[in-house]
Amino acid sequence: MKLFGMKKSALIATMVAATMALGGVTVFAASGVQKISAFLNHDIKFLLDGKSWSPKDSKGNKLSAVVIDGSTYVPLKAVGEAFGADVRWEGSTKTINMTSPSGSEGIPYKDGDTNGGTNTDADTSPATDGIFKLGSTDETTAKMKKEAVNVIKLYAKALESGDTSAYDAYVDAHTADTISGSPISLGRSYYKDNFAEEVEGSIEANDASTVTDYAAALSLVKESNIEVDYVGTKTEFGQSFKYSFLPEGWSAFSTVYVTFEFSVTKYDGSDYVLEAVRIS
């Protein structure tokens, strides 16, 4: 069976998430890492600007606080992004890079005032006809399964050429940009940059022939090959849908995942649009 290596940072993040779920961190060969004991406290609640808030993972699942020796710890990425910061893991330097939003405090709950000239009319959506909107769960699950095929083919094209412009055009056409007064705070550029990093990291992690073969295998994807991995529960903030594809002749570690994240266009609103498309 052939193997396509994951981007290193993605692999590290997966390992960390898995070990934390087991209540401890395994001792790795790298120095500076040690096993600890911790407790998940599901009773701890959070308020952000006086309103209820919960840290969530990339699938939209609520996360609980971790208590270690009397101190509370919550996922840095969830907290950072709640304030509009860009939080990224840089595996080469073992650094978590946090970038604060430019020209904005990035707090996700707005009071309705003008923010740098941005229109904050609660009923105004930045969506065009091409931006996907959330329908019923069954309808959206089926619709985005078809879109998973398109995204995987764009990923294949990017791996083959190193050019992510076609994927960027897809994001521009089908996802919403930042909307003040809503959870949609990161914007298209953030997700396009993430995709470019994923492509670059995957190309670097494999030899040229493996990348070429894997891209060719991905390009053969059909809707019948797509598995529905996860459909999140619709919440007041959003709903996520995750799909997977394992190319024939490749090991399970070469599975590609596509996640679509829909978010509400205003807090306490009822209209949801596609905010993010993620490849992993």
Side-chain angles (χ1 to χ4, degrees), residues 178-259:
T178 55
I179 308 176
S180 61
S182 83
I184 305 175
S185 61
L186 296 178
R188 294 168 180 154
S189 294
Y190 173 83
Y191 297 108
K192 289 189 287 188
D193 288 346
N194 275 1
F195 178 76
E197 290 181 2
E198 179 67 35
V199 170
E200 181 181 358
S202 296
I203 291 174
E204 291 177 352
N206 298 273
D207 60 60
S209 61
T210 299
V211 174
T212 299
D213 291 346
Y214 186 65
L218 289 181
S219 67
L220 299 176
V221 62
K222 298 179 181 179
E223 186 180 348
S224 58
N225 306 137
I226 298 291
E227 297 290 337
V228 180
D229 266 23
Y230 173 85
V231 176
T233 301
K234 183 179 179 181
T235 71
E236 61 187 302
F237 301 113
Q239 187 173 18
S240 59
F241 302 79
K242 185 176 183 179
Y243 306 85
S244 65
F245 169 59
L246 174 59
E248 185 176 356
W250 292 76
S251 76
F253 293 103
S254 304
T255 302
V256 61
Y257 298 91
V258 182
T259 303

Side-chain angles (χ1 to χ4, degrees), residues 35-75:
K35 184 177 181 178
I36 63 172
S37 295
F39 297 90
L40 282 175
N41 190 328
H42 302 288
D43 294 328
I44 294 177
K45 299 178 178 63
F46 302 90
L47 292 177
L48 181 59
D49 287 353
K51 296 185 178 181
S52 177
W53 174 82
S54 297
K56 296 181 181 180
D57 63 18
S58 61
K59 296 179 181 179
N61 296 317
K62 290 186 177 180
L63 302 173
S64 297
V66 174
V67 178
I68 304 173
D69 293 333
S71 295
T72 304
Y73 297 83
V74 292

